[in-house]
Amino acid sequence: MRATDGNRVSMSSGRALLALATVLSLALPLAAASSPASARPDRVTSEKTRTLTPRALGLTADLPNPLRGQYRWFGTDPTPSSVTSNDVYYRDQVYWGRLEKSDNAWDFSLIDAGLADAGARGGKFGFRVMAYCPGCWMNYREDLPAVTPPFVPLQPGTDVPDWNSPGFLAQWRELMAELGRRYGDDPRLGYVDVGGYGSYGEWHVDTGARISDANGLAVVKAVTSAFPTKHVLINTMTPVDFTLAALKANPHLGIRTDSLGCPDMYSMVAVDERLQQVWRTRPFFSEWCTRADPVLGAKQVRQFHVSTLSSSNMPWTHESLDARQRAAYDTALATAGYRLRLRALTLPRSVAAGDKVDVRTSWVNEGSAPTYDRWDVRLTFARNGKATTVSLGEQLRGVVDTSRRRARVSVRGLAKGRYDVSVSVVDPDGYSAPMYLANRGRTSSGTYPVGSLTIR
């Protein structure tokens, strides 16, 4: 028996045709499409195809999942306030001179604060350490340390770090190693910008000597080595050949750009097809440009498969946008990153006690990019206040359009009777809340009811 599109079932010659499956919302009892018994009627009877409908609000529905959509930056609340923004990003707060005022005199209290903020919201924390920030506000505060620590060598006659000096590289590796030792296994930490080199840690300079490719790769390697299980991002204002070399040398390195909504995002991604394919396996994060056009930004989210956007830096308020601009901005927020919907779930109407259950799922991603993290799809069988949960595996990593999966799961140990069945998408590490799907019917525990199964 073969299911197609979650709605139609065809049988080989000699078997009867199957009735058409009924498509209903999760908010109502789910109808069944039944077929005559298979060649083993004592083991498995008819199948039932359940099709879940998208959320009633479509793309405007809020899906507060980690590492997608809008993140909090500069302490700015979500824009608009109705959008959930649980992820937190620090940059100005955690510049190098503030983390290490003198050699090996660590002060990571602000990293701890960012992790605590994200953790309290159930979100993820990300940060970038800047070594040089020309014209930035902290340079004019006498009560704050300099951005560049006093023990970091400078280029002669300037305030620019000596990027190519052994002293700079050794101190950078030491800082990253210490950060990795403390936070590399923290589930609240989602990603780290490479930072370090260039103005604002953006990998470009206007003054002084530039870093060599070999030393630039060493700066990147220090971060990826310190955080081997986290997403690490490099700004795409770097030359294309260097960015490609860094991506090749560091398998979990992703990319970011700081200018969404400006022409070409002031990024090399827009001019190189190879960089435009990175999103398929590694994340692409961004923030709004200070001169952003929301209509252009929404187009770029889709075109370049951007996963995250900032809550700050845009030159307008949500209320000041006209109808076309506001619709574009709202679409950008809704479609940034993954937006997964269970399109159909097929399982037998009943199985014999001790038999295995054949489960087929059909998924669609309505967002601009896949999820790059591990999520476990699970089925829960509940009866008389007791529940048994089984895993269907990590079915969603890398889903960019549609996907169909099949699994056989054991229900050994379940007593005879009728069980309510629900599906959930769970963080196997137990930190993040179950994934919000673009489906109706989410329960308080993060599951989505999909019907029933009888053990006979």
Side-chain angles (χ1 to χ4, degrees):
M1 193 180 297
R2 178 174 58 87
T4 59
D5 297 329
N7 296 318
R8 188 177 67 251
V9 177
S10 63
M11 294 185 175
S12 59
S13 58
R15 296 186 183 182
L17 294 177
L18 147 85
L20 181 66
T22 303
V23 179
L24 291 177
S25 163
L26 275 177
L28 299 173
L30 292 166
S34 61
S35 66
S38 69
R40 299 181 62 196
D42 59 316
R43 305 297 291 174
V44 180
T45 60
S46 60
E47 288 194 339
K48 179 188 292 184
T49 300
R50 298 162 175 83
T51 301
L52 313 184
T53 60
R55 279 177 166 265
L57 296 178
L59 289 181
T60 63
D62 191 24
L63 300 184
N65 295 315
L67 301 186
R68 68 154 306 277
Q70 188 175 99
Y71 59 87
R72 293 173 178 261
W73 185 38
F74 274 141
T76 304
D77 288 334
T79 305
S81 59
S82 58
V83 173
T84 304
S85 182
N86 294 329
D87 294 342
V88 177
Y89 178 61
Y90 279 8
R91 188 160 72 217
D92 287 33
Q93 302 97 316
V94 294
Y95 61 83
W96 193 350
R98 212 169 185 183
L99 300 181
E100 192 179 7
K101 297 181 179 67
S102 60
D103 195 12
N104 293 332
W106 314 112
D107 181 358
F108 295 142
S109 57
L110 285 164
I111 299 283
D112 293 333
L115 287 164
D117 189 6
R121 303 176 191 280
K124 294 281 190 174
F125 178 63
F127 69 93
R128 176 198 298 174
V129 177
M130 299 183 295
Y132 178 55
C133 197
C136 292
W137 61 273
M138 65 283 287
N139 293 322
Y140 307 102
R141 290 271 300 270
E142 293 184 359
D143 58 324
L144 293 177
V147 175
T148 307
F151 52 84
V152 171
L154 301 178
Q155 297 183 36
T158 74
D159 62 350
V160 182
D162 187 354
W163 312 112
N164 293 301
S165 68
F168 171 82
L169 296 172
Q171 292 289 352
W172 179 254
R173 281 192 293 265
E174 187 177 64
L175 171 65
M176 287 300 117
E178 183 65 18
L179 285 167
R181 185 183 71 79
R182 294 183 183 229
Y183 304 112
D185 295 325
D186 195 317
R188 299 170 297 175
L189 180 62
Y191 64 99
V192 181
D193 276 358
V194 169
Y197 170 64
S199 299
Y200 328 113
E202 292 181 355
W203 284 74
H204 63 87
V205 292
D206 298 323
T207 304
R210 289 163 172 73
I211 199 167
S212 69
D213 284 359
N215 290 333
L217 290 174
V219 169
V220 177
K221 192 67 176 179
V223 186
T224 59
S225 296
F227 297 96
T229 64
K230 303 297 182 182
H231 301 300
V232 178
L233 311 173
I234 187 168
N235 199 291
T236 53
M237 296 183 75
T238 53
V240 169
D241 288 345
F242 174 82
T243 308
L244 292 172
L247 291 167
K248 182 178 180 180
N250 301 276
H252 66 289
L253 180 68
I255 57 179
R256 72 166 289 138
T257 181
D258 293 338
S259 298
L260 184 76
C262 278
D264 288 341
M265 303 177 292
Y266 302 147
S267 162
M268 302 307 293
V269 172
V271 300
D272 189 88
E273 292 184 359
R274 293 165 296 179
L275 292 179
Q276 291 169 16
Q277 300 303 312
V278 171
W279 69 274
R280 294 188 177 276
T281 56
R282 315 183 197 192
F284 182 10
F285 290 3
S286 189
E287 70 188 47
W288 288 102
C289 178
T290 55
R291 296 181 294 278
D293 172 5
V295 176
L296 178 58
K299 179 181 177 181
Q300 290 168 340
V301 165
R302 276 294 191 185
Q303 181 180 0
F304 300 111
H305 307 277
V306 176
S307 286
T308 64
L309 317 172
S310 61
S311 66
S312 184
N313 229 33
M314 67 280 286
W316 26 256
T317 64
H318 191 255
E319 294 73 19
S320 68
L321 299 176
D322 63 32
R324 177 171 174 264
Q325 292 171 326
R326 187 176 300 179
Y329 176 80
D330 292 345
T331 298
L333 293 186
T335 58
Y338 59 98
R339 190 179 185 87
L340 292 156
R341 174 166 57 89
L342 179 59
R343 186 168 60 177
L345 184 145
T346 304
L347 73 166
R349 181 186 298 275
S350 68
V351 297
D355 204 357
K356 290 188 175 182
V357 180
D358 188 15
V359 184
R360 297 195 296 275
T361 55
S362 176
W363 300 90
V364 59
N365 187 354
E366 299 171 342
S368 62
T371 176
Y372 303 95
D373 294 319
R374 298 169 57 233
W375 292 93
D376 189 24
V377 180
R378 298 179 182 178
L379 281 187
T380 297
F381 303 90
R383 178 172 178 263
N384 296 334
K386 297 181 179 180
T388 297
T389 298
V390 296
S391 172
L392 302 183
E394 296 180 14
Q395 300 190 346
L396 301 180
R397 192 169 185 173
V399 175
V400 299
D401 187 8
T402 60
S403 175
R404 298 182 186 182
R405 301 296 178 93
R406 185 169 185 164
R408 286 180 62 81
V409 297
S410 173
V411 291
R412 188 182 301 276
L414 290 183
K416 294 182 179 180
R418 179 182 177 277
Y419 290 80
D420 294 323
V421 183
S422 59
V423 65
S424 58
V425 182
V426 177
D427 173 9
D429 293 328
Y431 170 71
S432 296
M435 184 187 293
Y436 286 77
L437 301 175
N439 293 102
R440 293 174 181 257
R442 183 182 175 90
T443 68
S444 60
S445 62
T447 65
Y448 294 82
V450 291
S452 63
L453 174 74
T454 298
I455 306 294
R456 50 176 217 285

